[in-house]
Amino acid sequence: MNNEIPLSYPDITEDDIRAVTRSLRSGRLSIGPQLEEFERLVALHAGRTYGIGVNSGTAGLHLALLALGVGPGDEVITPAFSFIASANCIVYVGATPVFVDCDPRSLNMRIKDVESKITEKTKAIIGVEVFGNPAHMNELAQLSRRYEIPLVEDACEGLGGRSGNDQIGSFGRLAVFGFYPNKQITTGEGGMIVTDDDRLADLCRSLRNHGRVDHSSKSENGTSNELGTWLSHDHIGYNYRLSECHAALGCSQMNRLDEIIEQRQRVAASYTRRLLANPDIIIPTIEPDVFMSWFVYVIRLSDRFTFFDRDTIIDGLRRHDVGASNYFPPIHLQPPYRSMFGYKPGDFPVCESISERTIALPMFTRLTDREIDLVCQTLEVMMMRITFSRD
Ligand SMILES: *Cc1c(COP(=O)(O)O)cnc(C)c1O
């Protein structure tokens, strides 16, 4: 037993493990009943008609843009402050990412800034609930309708959250969830596209499965009624399928989503209570009508602290066995975006200034109050050391 407190830790129960072994014993390992059930559960939760399971959130974003027909010569608006997959998917289809700075409180894109970036080449807008916060998503959906530019909701950080009565995953023409082990629920690797649009759903389902015409579960073992359809391909597709045992884990996790969110909310509330009074720590700003499912708990240091101080504090936390991370370095300043598109420091000042002072603290369901207290104490000691070293 070590005393390490990791940044994240998956919530896997014996029931989850039984669900996976049951699926392994069933004899069907791909495109079967577990995938169908997982798709049904996630779509239902997001208030959507269709769910299309894929093997990562990134694969889901890629297919969403392909299904919308985005390609070379097109522009897609996306936040500079997000995980890099929110922009990489645009590059995959040969389109140009057009970055937007973030609001200093919600950390999501500002609607006015999005509007100012719309041109006749804009083919889609990728809206991200950064750290799971659905702030401004309603206005973004309205803007997308007004300009008739489809919104793709990168909901990979927000499963289970909502703004008023609007569930995360219900805002875009298509929305995409991710199930990497640090997300609210996990399938190990996995993702899901949700939509109400029949045509887009069909297209995504075909594209994830080698562009097949027929994607019924009967085909895999050669018992399809229509001979030949398994090997006919309408599109150049991909293999982005989610396997049955991954989907089985997803179903089992979905059935505990409320319980998982409750625990994440408990952890977030403890951090907030513990850190609220510290004038050098900016805790997450959450609007009153927002229900958070808490992907991560990210604090910001006041501007008495520099980028180097922040990194020193993260190093210090890690040396004391407390997981911490710098969520997120701006996407436009990552080497490929600098070299391909010529972005440079100063292009998105709010995002740059914020990303220099963020620290993601440990966030997972089984974090105890004692551990939270230890994390906060360690953080405050590291901050004090920097203050003292200046005097
Ligand atoms: C996690 C995440 C994704 C997808 O991640 P995968 O590892 O591909 O499942 C996409 N966008 C955002 C904002 C994310 O946080």
Side-chain angles (χ1 to χ4, degrees):
M1 240 336 247
N2 63 23
N3 294 317
E4 193 187 320
I5 304 174
L7 184 58
S8 75
Y9 195 83
D11 186 316
I12 302 293
T13 61
E14 288 305 314
D15 277 348
D16 292 342
I17 294 166
R18 270 192 291 276
V20 173
T21 53
R22 228 182 356 255
S23 118
L24 287 172
R25 289 195 176 99
S26 74
R28 176 165 285 281
L29 300 185
S30 186
I31 346 177
Q34 296 302 322
L35 179 59
E36 263 177 44
E37 176 63 3
F38 187 38
E39 292 176 339
R40 191 186 69 79
L41 289 173
V42 176
L44 183 73
H45 185 83
R48 296 299 209 150
T49 318
Y50 304 105
I52 301 99
V54 286
N55 54 17
S56 75
T58 307
L61 291 169
H62 184 190
L63 294 191
L65 291 184
L66 285 171
L68 290 171
V70 180
D74 297 330
E75 293 177 356
V76 178
I77 293 173
T78 195
F81 190 72
S82 180
F83 180 61
I84 197 164
S86 310
N88 282 353
C89 58
I90 302 167
V91 179
Y92 297 163
V93 299
T96 306
V98 174
F99 291 109
V100 169
D101 210 345
C102 65
D103 175 271
R105 285 161 57 84
S106 67
L107 310 183
N108 287 347
M109 292 189 292
R110 284 181 301 211
I111 302 304
K112 266 209 215 97
D113 294 349
V114 174
E115 190 165 11
S116 75
K117 296 289 175 90
I118 294 176
T119 72
E120 67 260 30
K121 289 186 184 164
T122 311
K123 199 70 184 279
I125 300 168
I126 296 183
V128 184
E129 284 98 2
V130 174
F131 304 147
N133 187 350
H136 329 302
M137 284 309 281
N138 261 315
E139 295 102 295
L140 192 61
Q142 275 165 27
L143 184 81
S144 114
R145 281 191 291 271
R146 186 143 52 82
Y147 282 86
E148 297 182 9
I149 297 169
L151 174 65
V152 173
E153 189 184 347
D154 178 346
C156 286
E157 301 184 357
L159 180 73
R162 56 181 187 265
S163 167
N165 292 321
D166 299 316
Q167 203 70 34
I168 289 184
S170 72
F171 295 102
R173 275 282 289 286
L174 305 114
V176 179
F177 294 109
F179 309 120
Y180 188 70
N182 66 348
K183 312 282 182 180
Q184 286 86 340
I185 70 158
T186 186
T187 56
E189 296 285 358
M192 176 116 27
I193 304 164
V194 294
T195 184
D196 298 320
D197 186 308
D198 313 5
R199 193 187 60 84
L200 292 175
D202 262 357
L203 200 46
C204 289
R205 197 160 278 136
S206 174
L207 287 171
R208 80 157 170 204
N209 187 14
H210 298 295
R212 283 194 166 99
V213 192
D214 170 20
H215 23 78
S216 76
S217 58
K218 293 196 202 74
S219 309
E220 183 196 14
N221 50 10
T223 56
S224 177
N225 295 331
E226 291 169 70
L227 184 65
T229 51
W230 182 248
L231 293 177
S232 59
H233 307 268
D234 272 358
H235 315 277
I236 296 291
Y238 299 81
N239 180 356
Y240 282 169
R241 293 182 304 240
L242 186 69
S243 88
E244 281 291 283
C245 62
H246 292 85
L249 179 55
C251 291
S252 185
Q253 293 253 306
M254 267 314 275
N255 288 327
R256 289 192 297 113
L257 181 63
D258 290 346
E259 184 187 318
I260 288 173
I261 291 175
E262 205 174 296
Q263 289 305 316
R264 297 182 86 94
Q265 287 179 332
R266 173 189 61 80
V267 171
S270 285
Y271 275 130
T272 298
R273 220 177 304 117
R274 181 69 177 65
L275 299 173
L276 189 60
N278 189 322
D280 283 318
I281 292 175
I282 302 162
I283 60 168
T285 310
I286 310 297
E287 295 303 321
D289 67 334
V290 162
F291 178 90
M292 287 285 285
S293 60
W294 293 101
F295 165 52
V296 284
Y297 194 90
V298 178
I299 58 140
R300 286 149 58 199
L301 302 173
S302 70
D303 52 18
R304 289 208 307 120
F305 293 86
T306 66
F307 168 70
F308 297 103
D309 295 338
R310 189 278 309 267
D311 283 359
T312 307
I313 292 168
I314 290 180
D315 273 348
L317 285 163
R318 289 180 178 174
R319 267 188 291 103
H320 287 80
D321 288 331
V322 173
S325 190
N326 56 330
Y327 287 6
F328 290 113
I331 299 176
H332 67 284
L333 298 181
Q334 299 282 357
Y337 287 89
R338 289 189 192 220
S339 64
M340 277 190 296
F341 305 103
Y343 285 109
K344 57 188 186 312
D347 285 342
F348 300 100
V350 180
C351 156
E352 289 167 29
S353 145
I354 281 169
S355 74
E356 286 180 357
R357 292 182 189 82
T358 55
I359 304 178
L361 300 176
M363 164 55 81
F364 51 94
T365 51
R366 295 172 200 182
L367 206 54
T368 65
D369 276 346
R370 202 188 56 78
E371 287 170 323
I372 293 168
D373 203 53
L374 188 64
V375 171
C376 295
Q377 262 177 42
T378 315
L379 170 67
E380 285 171 340
V381 169
M382 296 304 138
M383 289 170 66
M384 246 180 309
R385 276 193 196 163
I386 284 174
T387 310
F388 289 147
S389 71
R390 288 202 193 109
D391 305 331

